[in-house]
Amino acid sequence: MNKLLIRGGVRLAGEVSISGAKNAALPIMCAALLSTAPLRLANVPHLRDVTTLLSLLGGMGVAVSLDAKLGLELDAGKLHTPVAPYELVRTMRASILVLGPLLARCGEARVSLPGGCAIGQRPVDLHIKGLQAMGADIHVEHGYIIARAKRLKGARIFTDLVTVTGTENLMMAACLAEGTSVIENAAREPEVVDLANCLKAMGAKIEGAGSDTITIEGVSALSGAAHRIMPDRIETGTFLVAAAATGGSVRLRNTSSGILEAVLDKLREAGARITVESDSIALEMDGTPQSVSLRTAPYPAFPTDMQAQFMALDCIARGTAVLTETIFENRFMHALELQRLGANIEISGNTAVVKGAAKLDGASVMATDLRASASLVIAGLVATGETVVERIYHLDRGYECIEEKLSQLGARIKRIG
Ligand code: EPZ
């Protein structure tokens, strides 16, 4: 079943629970490779990307088990094959996150180059450069990264760009390096902090996670640990935007406001009333939202992973919005599909000008990437008539049971075809 049928026009109302963060779970699962003792994880989201990574880790010899409460245990004690094959890596670029841990744990790694994806070329040169600075011998052969290092050495690394998984790969590798490493211009995303917290629970010595300078003092080995994955701030933001776009009133449980302040600010600018408690966020929107302009940038600025969702909101808002995408070179493909629903969007380079329309009309549209899919679902929720979103396997990579959760909020949505 690869399509979603949505009958728009319903104001979302009610409560849903937010799942664990995909972009924290993926690096943290890779951190299991660093230890011979089991890593036990709670609140791991049930997503296609997670099951893909479990297959990848299983192929390396990591023992995977689920407990009664769906807690995940990863035991890399008998790790035997430090290889990430193309067949799996091409379906999930975040597989690159095994490179640093394998190199640090086994002294060698053979990882398929991830290749590009719909939103951009997505190179991994900064991952490789950082590991080379730690003394790794790395070359690319037949589409694979071949890396070797007797033992990585601590180094001072300045990443030319702020890279989230680059920072995570280098931080994991540095945990077992000889001596101290300093990563400068590091990514400050909350998922980097969550990974650092898990690594510290395993015995790593890390200071500065969440700032642009992270210092890691290498240790000889890491132990097992238990860690609970942080809430997914992008799922949280997606549901809040859907509620705002439909003029609804929702409460999201098991999440936190401190990890998406830039998104909450934009929603308030659109006219939403937001109340936060320790582990929940409520949003109420009366009538039509006001257009909001935005410019994506590394955390704590507005996240690129929320740009597509806000474009859908701006399509039916009052006024004109200017959205500037500074992180990825091709992250406006949802605009072409939104235009099929009647949206008024002009793209020029990395800028989109969105003139709010009185309404959108349902149509068949095609998902091209994960967050573009979410944008089309939001548009379908507000469009009159029926919208069919095709190729929703993109959506399943990053949203757990999205149609069940939206149905819980009153949406008329079901999986078909
Ligand atoms: C992470 O991707 C996220 N994925 C992405 O979320 C997110 O959009 C992105 O960070 C930016 O926040 C995961 O965490 C699994 P980057 P990542 O390295 O690490 C360039 C989603 O929807 N770059 O921070 O791959 C790169 O091309 C996904 O959940 C290099 O040039 O992104 C981009 O322009 C999509 N060389 C910029 O840096 C490198 O070696 C930032 O990319 C690495 C990156």
Side-chain angles (χ1 to χ4, degrees):
M1 307 262 254
N2 206 11
K3 299 176 185 176
L4 279 177
L5 170 64
I6 304 166
R7 277 190 301 124
V10 174
R11 293 165 49 105
L12 296 185
E15 286 201 3
V16 287
S17 179
I18 294 297
S19 304
K22 166 177 85 79
N23 290 351
L26 296 177
I28 287 170
M29 288 164 68
C30 294
L33 294 166
L34 291 166
S35 167
T36 56
L39 179 60
R40 284 184 303 287
L41 300 174
N43 202 33
V44 177
H46 181 61
L47 300 170
R48 179 194 286 259
D49 274 7
V50 169
T51 43
T52 301
L53 185 53
L54 289 175
S55 310
L56 186 63
L57 295 174
M60 296 176 185
V62 174
V64 176
S65 53
L66 276 175
D67 65 27
K69 282 186 261 149
L70 284 184
L72 186 62
E73 180 177 281
L74 300 174
D75 182 346
K78 297 190 172 61
L79 177 60
H80 51 64
T81 311
V83 176
Y86 174 67
E87 298 66 44
L88 284 171
V89 174
R90 71 191 173 99
T91 66
M92 191 195 56
R93 314 177 26 69
S95 309
I96 191 68
L97 283 163
V98 302
L99 178 61
L102 287 177
L103 200 46
R105 167 81 188 279
C106 311
E108 58 175 321
R110 193 163 164 272
V111 176
S112 167
L113 270 173
C117 81
I119 64 177
Q121 194 223 337
R122 312 286 297 273
V124 290
D125 56 308
L126 300 177
H127 299 237
I128 291 172
K129 208 171 129 195
L131 292 169
Q132 287 172 327
M134 290 190 205
D137 169 34
I138 301 184
H139 64 281
V140 175
E141 208 175 276
H142 305 307
Y144 276 78
I145 300 166
I146 313 290
R148 279 191 187 76
K150 266 187 115 29
R151 187 179 181 196
L152 293 170
K153 297 218 174 343
R156 178 194 158 281
I157 300 158
F158 181 88
T159 57
D160 298 346
L161 288 168
V162 174
T163 161
V164 174
T165 51
T167 300
E168 291 165 344
N169 234 336
L170 297 174
M171 184 164 70
M172 287 191 279
C175 287
L176 294 180
E178 187 179 352
T180 300
S181 300
V182 179
I183 304 171
E184 297 191 61
N185 201 23
R188 300 168 55 188
E189 271 68 4
E191 293 76 21
V192 174
V193 177
D194 205 34
L195 170 63
N197 290 338
C198 179
L199 290 166
K200 288 195 273 193
M202 295 166 73
K205 294 196 173 113
I206 301 172
E207 295 294 330
S211 79
D212 61 4
T213 304
I214 303 177
T215 304
I216 306 104
E217 193 187 323
V219 293
S220 53
L222 291 180
S223 61
H227 181 79
R228 179 178 178 78
I229 303 293
M230 66 175 281
D232 194 315
R233 63 191 168 100
I234 305 302
E235 184 194 18
T236 302
T238 302
F239 276 94
L240 290 174
V241 171
T246 58
S249 170
V250 301
R251 170 181 298 283
L252 308 182
R253 294 190 316 276
N254 301 323
T255 188
S256 152
S257 63
I259 52 178
L260 74 164
E261 287 299 350
V263 172
L264 298 182
D265 286 352
K266 286 296 171 192
L267 284 164
R268 291 187 185 101
E269 208 180 299
R273 275 194 312 286
I274 291 174
T275 37
V276 300
E277 281 160 22
S278 58
D279 68 346
S280 70
I281 302 175
L283 176 142
E284 281 183 287
M285 171 66 90
D286 294 331
T288 308
Q290 182 58 43
S291 293
V292 279
S293 293
L294 56 91
R295 179 185 180 82
T296 67
Y299 193 89
F302 187 90
T304 174
D305 291 350
M306 284 300 305
Q307 175 260 108
Q309 298 91 317
F310 267 84
M311 188 181 284
L313 179 85
D314 280 327
C315 287
I316 47 92
R318 275 194 313 275
T320 299
V322 178
L323 289 79
T324 306
E325 173 58 58
T326 72
I327 305 287
F328 292 113
E329 64 271 27
N330 190 33
R331 203 168 198 177
F332 283 147
M333 279 182 297
H334 40 284
L336 304 175
E337 296 303 304
L338 291 168
Q339 285 164 340
R340 288 179 46 72
L341 301 172
N344 182 339
I345 307 170
E346 301 254 322
I347 306 284
S348 156
N350 69 343
T351 300
V353 177
V354 185
K355 285 193 175 57
K359 68 182 183 67
L360 298 176
D361 296 317
S364 283
V365 288
M366 192 171 293
T368 49
D369 58 87
L370 170 55
R371 306 305 173 182
S373 324
S375 170
L376 298 175
V377 169
I378 292 170
L381 292 172
V382 296
T384 52
E386 291 191 345
T387 294
V388 175
V389 182
E390 308 201 4
R391 296 191 181 174
I392 52 162
Y393 56 82
H394 291 290
L395 205 57
D396 295 335
R397 297 190 46 187
Y399 290 96
E400 187 177 36
C401 310
I402 191 164
E403 70 262 33
E404 286 83 351
K405 292 189 181 183
L406 286 172
S407 302
Q408 232 176 286
L409 295 173
R412 295 176 298 207
I413 181 171
K414 65 178 181 180
R415 205 166 277 245
I416 60 169

